[in-house]
Amino acid sequence: MSGSLFVISGPSGAGKGTLVQRLVERVPHTWVSISATTRAPRTGEVDGVHYRFMTPEEFERTIEEGGFAEWANVHSHYYGTPTGPIIEHLEAGDNVLLEIDVQGGFQVREKFPDAKLLFIAPPSMEVLEQRLRGRGTDSDEEIAKRLRNAKGELEASKDYDVVVVNDDLEEATDKLAEVLES
Ligand code: ADP
Ligand code: 5GP
């Protein structure tokens, strides 16, 4: 396999989705894995584009069939990375990005020891909350759950290979692009 595998983790609202989009536009041959999830689609999310939306039964069947490179329960929903497409893109020589939580990140490190684990941190918890509210996609209850979960994620960042604080978007993009291209 000639491509490189990168895990991108960080608390919800830190800016992972925004940064990943910018990396795809900036760095040639960069491909983002489409995760499976049992959470409901948000307004504007399309099955097969943003996520593969599955029922819990479908997700559990895929686990039993060994179809996930990693999976985890995040914010009370299942999320997982389908194995087939990431192998295909690594074989094609692409940079493969997995935007997944830290539990998933550590599973990937076990299976793919060459994977680089990148962590996106918010400048502060206050800014994280502002970004989650400003995004306007989650209920107050969902936001509270995500902020509680953020503390555990930030704790795990010490075992990641690279930590990038997403304060200035341009600077954070530059740092990540440098890692992908190195
Ligand atoms: P995540 O994918 O980590 O949950 P998003 O990429 O959805 O986070 O970003 C959360 C919100 O913060 C979005 O509204 C996004 O536009 C905004 N955002 C991301 N990065 C920055 C930044 N560096 N400065 C200000 N706002 C940002
Ligand atoms: P959201 O519901 O906001 O799209 O994602 C919530 C969290 O689930 C994020 O922290 C994201 O990184 C994580 N996540 C998304 N896809 C996967 C996946 O395939 N595996 C794991 N372990 N986490 C994922």
Side-chain angles (χ1 to χ4, degrees), residues 10-19 99 131-132 134-135 146 166-170:
S12 186
K16 300 179 298 295
T18 306
L19 286 162
E99 192 192 321
R131 287 188 187 163
L132 281 170
R135 189 168 68 182
R146 279 152 200 272
N166 179 22
D167 190 354
D168 180 85
L169 193 54
E170 205 59 48

Side-chain angles (χ1 to χ4, degrees), residues 6 41 74 84 114 129 132 137 139 145 149-150 157 160 167 175:
F6 298 91
V74 190
D114 292 338
E129 182 165 358
L132 281 170
T137 52
S139 65
K145 204 191 283 181
N149 200 42
S157 69
Y160 266 55
D167 190 354
K175 278 190 197 143

Side-chain angles (χ1 to χ4, degrees), residues 137-157:
T137 52
D138 300 284
S139 65
D140 285 351
E141 196 188 327
E142 278 290 331
I143 289 175
K145 204 191 283 181
R146 279 152 200 272
L147 289 172
R148 281 197 299 276
N149 200 42
K151 297 194 171 72
E153 293 259 323
L154 287 166
E155 176 64 21
S157 69

Side-chain angles (χ1 to χ4, degrees), residues 16 35 39 42 51 70 72 79-81 99-101 104 146:
K16 300 179 298 295
S35 295
R39 84 149 161 74
R42 295 186 184 126
Y51 279 105
E70 62 74 37
Y79 291 83
T81 303
E99 192 192 321
I100 64 178
D101 88 319
R146 279 152 200 272

Side-chain angles (χ1 to χ4, degrees), residues 99-117:
E99 192 192 321
I100 64 178
D101 88 319
V102 295
Q103 308 171 70
F106 296 132
Q107 292 175 45
V108 169
R109 181 182 267 160
E110 289 289 312
K111 276 201 190 154
F112 302 88
D114 292 338
K116 250 205 152 55
L117 270 54

Side-chain angles (χ1 to χ4, degrees), residues 24-106:
V24 168
E25 287 161 16
R26 169 108 55 112
V27 184
H29 307 292
T30 297
W31 178 81
V32 187
S33 162
I34 300 166
S35 295
T37 184
T38 57
R39 84 149 161 74
R42 295 186 184 126
T43 310
E45 282 184 336
V46 178
D47 185 42
V49 176
H50 300 93
Y51 279 105
R52 273 281 293 108
F53 294 99
M54 288 187 174
T55 61
E57 294 71 29
E58 210 181 335
F59 198 100
E60 282 162 6
R61 197 168 53 240
T62 311
I63 295 174
E64 281 163 23
E65 290 166 358
F68 291 126
E70 62 74 37
W71 65 271
N73 196 305
V74 190
H75 313 137
S76 328
H77 302 289
Y78 281 133
Y79 291 83
T81 303
T83 307
I86 66 173
I87 302 294
E88 282 164 29
H89 281 270
L90 286 172
E91 283 175 352
D94 289 338
N95 290 316
V96 170
L97 306 188
L98 310 182
E99 192 192 321
I100 64 178
D101 88 319
V102 295
Q103 308 171 70
F106 296 132

